[in-house]
Amino acid sequence: MDKELEAITSGTVGFFWPISEGGEINKEPERGFVSKDNSGRFEIRTLDEAPDVNAGISLSPNRTKPKAIISVFPEGSAVLLNISRHSGTANFGGGRASAYNYTSRMAISRFPVEELNKAKLDVRVRELRAHFPGISQWAGLKVSNIKHERKPDGRLRAAILRLESPEDVVADVGSLSLVIGGHWEVDNEGDRTSVYSPVSIGVKAKRPRDVSELLKVLLRVQDLVNVAYDTFVHIDGGTAIMGVEAEPTRHPQFWADSLMKGPANHLLNKEKKGIPLFTLADLKGAQGISRWVRLYDEFPSAFDAVAAPYRLGSMTWHGYLRETAIGMERLIAATRKKGRPEWAKEKLVSLALARRVGDPFVELVADTEAWADLFWGVYNGGKHQASYDPNPRDIMTLAISGNLLLTAYLLHRCGMSKSSLSDMLKNRVSYRIRDRIKELVRNPPAGLQPNSSR
């Protein structure tokens, strides 16, 4: 992390210029303090040195939420983006000062302060690159390589470290470009040398864009990586290029809470995330990620059912099953609306998806028709009957299997083969869970399915 980001995350004083939606800037800055709270968001508190007597105890109706806030502080400069909250207090007389409060979800360091002399400011960006530590096996990229040289007696003579960024893998995501490559840094302090070599995944635009457009693509990519590792995979850094800079000599760095902060109950492991359930190669490279991002906008409920739990943290099994079933319903409805393909005409949407995925799911549940009836019946029971209260273990079993089916279908749409789907499903759950699913389908307990799912 560079000194500017480190300063505002740990807390620093500075001057702050709120920027309107149209880029207008007040030449007189607000004086205040910025720091990062436990949620990963930036809290800015500034003095209102000319409070409006008509404002009462809140912001004046004429003061709108800013588009961004430019800050200059003793350690450097930054632009704070994604302003999620603004408020204020007005005090007249007495011993309390009036103040403004802002909450920002993203910061980019090294904003060019010479831009403050202009009548309007452009806070758009042309590129964001996020650093994903520990996913080189998923990406199939190797940035660092160590070669050992030994003496005749077998003892080590030397270790040679070579760092080399692999050639970028590029795919189009609409009018944006997705870039997957490597990043490396070396820090040599005395007799301690540290090497940082994460996978770099970036989004580039030909012309400056609102940061939310590029950030959305990175969030979708992170969702896919989360699914691959079956956990929230945090981003621990990233670089940016602002629209006002053609090519900075040193790229600014950014912080975004949505990319870098997992759910509250998630324990970050920066060193090892295990073996991924599937790889970038299984998705046919960057084009598979591009399809994932584009399909997310087409079937948001289905993708949210698969990806959102990694961001939200723990859910009840009833909620997990319900969100999965809703994702299935809306996916099939959208598919039918686009052209009514034969496979989507099946009345029971869980059966339609099970048959579409085919053998990989049959291997998991043994009888797709019996499973589909059971899954949909339990969903309907929880939705329509207040007294319906089956064994939580059975709900868990059906919720897991249903979500795996939805995951498999979406990955297949992104280019994954049936063979890779089969491997993914086998590795995603233990033998115990697979046996439990098949036993539940063969011998469902009385009362588990309250009504016909048809």
Side-chain angles (χ1 to χ4, degrees):
M1 184 180 295
D2 63 15
K3 65 177 183 178
E4 288 92 341
L5 275 186
E6 187 175 1
I8 61 175
T9 55
S10 59
T12 188
V13 295
F15 296 104
F16 300 88
W17 287 266
I19 311 301
S20 72
E21 283 287 342
E24 291 82 9
I25 179 173
N26 189 336
K27 294 301 179 181
E28 287 299 319
E30 299 172 17
R31 296 160 176 81
F33 185 84
V34 59
S35 63
K36 183 169 64 68
D37 64 16
N38 291 333
S39 70
R41 302 183 182 191
F42 296 99
E43 296 292 339
I44 305 122
R45 188 170 176 83
T46 65
L47 293 172
D48 180 2
E49 299 179 66
D52 182 354
V53 70
N54 298 314
I57 60 172
S58 62
L59 285 178
S60 167
N62 296 324
R63 189 180 177 90
T64 59
K65 184 173 70 173
K67 170 77 171 178
I69 298 174
I70 305 299
S71 178
V72 176
F73 39 88
E75 297 81 6
S77 62
V79 55
L80 296 131
L81 300 160
N82 286 358
I83 308 299
S84 60
R85 182 178 64 86
H86 75 307
S87 61
T89 57
N91 298 295
F92 303 95
R96 293 184 297 171
S98 301
Y100 296 122
N101 301 297
Y102 308 94
T103 299
S104 164
R105 302 190 62 183
M106 184 176 186
I108 300 177
S109 66
R110 300 177 193 156
F111 186 82
V113 294
E114 61 272 14
E115 294 294 313
L116 293 170
N117 295 322
K118 296 183 178 179
K120 289 189 176 183
L121 283 183
D122 185 356
V123 294
R124 296 175 299 170
V125 298
R126 289 194 292 112
E127 181 177 337
L128 287 179
R129 284 194 181 231
H131 300 155
F132 287 81
I135 68 163
S136 58
Q137 188 172 1
W138 173 82
L141 298 174
K142 194 170 182 63
V143 178
S144 61
N145 183 51
I146 299 178
K147 181 181 179 181
H148 295 97
E149 293 183 357
R150 297 184 179 275
K151 298 178 181 179
D153 61 3
R155 290 183 299 168
L156 284 175
R157 180 199 304 274
I160 301 173
L161 171 66
R162 178 178 175 81
L163 299 169
E164 183 176 11
S165 298
E167 186 175 347
D168 287 341
V169 179
V170 182
D172 291 334
V173 182
S175 58
L176 300 172
S177 295
L178 181 71
V179 183
I180 303 173
H183 173 85
W184 56 268
E185 300 173 14
V186 177
D187 188 10
N188 191 3
E189 294 185 4
D191 59 354
R192 291 185 180 275
T193 300
S194 62
V195 177
Y196 175 61
S197 55
V199 171
S200 169
I201 300 180
V203 185
K204 299 174 66 173
K206 293 180 180 178
R207 57 178 179 79
R209 301 288 190 92
D210 188 280
V211 70
S212 61
E213 295 182 50
L214 279 65
L215 189 59
K216 184 179 79 169
V217 176
L218 285 182
L219 286 168
R220 298 295 178 249
V221 174
Q222 187 182 41
D223 286 333
L224 178 61
V225 177
N226 292 344
V227 173
Y229 283 93
D230 193 29
T231 188
F232 181 83
V233 178
H234 80 294
I235 290 168
D236 64 359
T239 59
I241 297 179
M242 301 293 298
V244 295
E245 295 186 286
E247 186 63 43
T249 54
R250 290 183 63 205
H251 286 188
Q253 295 188 19
F254 75 85
W255 171 280
D257 70 320
S258 53
L259 291 168
M260 298 172 177
K261 292 290 288 187
N265 62 349
H266 175 73
L267 298 177
L268 295 178
N269 184 339
K270 297 184 179 182
E271 300 301 325
K272 185 177 180 181
K273 298 173 179 61
I275 299 173
L277 300 172
F278 58 88
T279 66
L280 182 60
D282 290 327
L283 292 169
K284 309 298 187 294
Q287 291 296 338
I289 302 183
S290 176
R291 285 189 287 269
W292 172 276
V293 173
R294 287 184 281 108
L295 286 170
Y296 212 123
D297 290 332
E298 193 173 339
F299 307 115
S301 294
F303 278 88
D304 280 345
V306 168
Y310 297 109
R311 295 191 180 278
L312 300 176
S314 59
M315 297 176 64
T316 66
W317 290 115
H318 281 279
Y320 196 47
L321 187 146
R322 181 178 62 252
E323 293 303 310
T324 298
I326 291 172
M328 290 180 179
E329 279 186 307
R330 293 183 178 175
L331 184 149
I332 295 295
T335 301
R336 290 170 178 170
K337 188 176 181 180
K338 290 185 66 176
R340 294 188 63 83
E342 282 298 319
W343 70 270
K345 293 180 181 179
E346 172 65 52
K347 181 180 179 181
L348 198 60
V349 299
S350 52
L351 182 57
L353 281 177
R355 286 177 171 167
R356 187 64 175 172
V357 171
D359 289 344
F361 194 66
V362 174
E363 295 170 4
L364 182 69
V365 302
D367 187 332
T368 53
E369 187 163 346
W371 175 89
D373 264 332
L374 189 60
F375 177 87
W376 212 253
V378 170
Y379 167 56
N380 280 331
K383 184 168 60 172
H384 298 298
Q385 296 187 14
S387 61
Y388 181 61
D389 188 26
N391 188 320
R393 180 179 175 181
D394 296 337
I395 297 297
M396 176 193 72
T397 303
L398 288 170
I400 290 174
S401 56
N403 202 265
L404 283 174
L405 170 61
L406 190 54
T407 302
Y409 171 78
L410 296 175
L411 291 174
H412 188 49
R413 284 290 303 268
C414 293
M416 188 177 292
S417 68
K418 292 290 183 77
S419 174
S420 294
L421 286 180
S422 181
D423 292 339
M424 187 272 294
L425 292 176
K426 288 176 182 176
N427 294 328
R428 174 64 172 76
V429 295
S430 65
Y431 285 106
R432 182 180 298 178
I433 294 293
R434 291 203 294 274
D435 291 343
R436 187 185 299 169
I437 293 170
K438 291 176 181 177
E439 179 60 27
L440 190 64
V441 171
R442 283 194 297 263
N443 301 300
L448 176 59
Q449 189 177 48
N451 292 314
S452 172
S453 58
R454 301 281 184 177

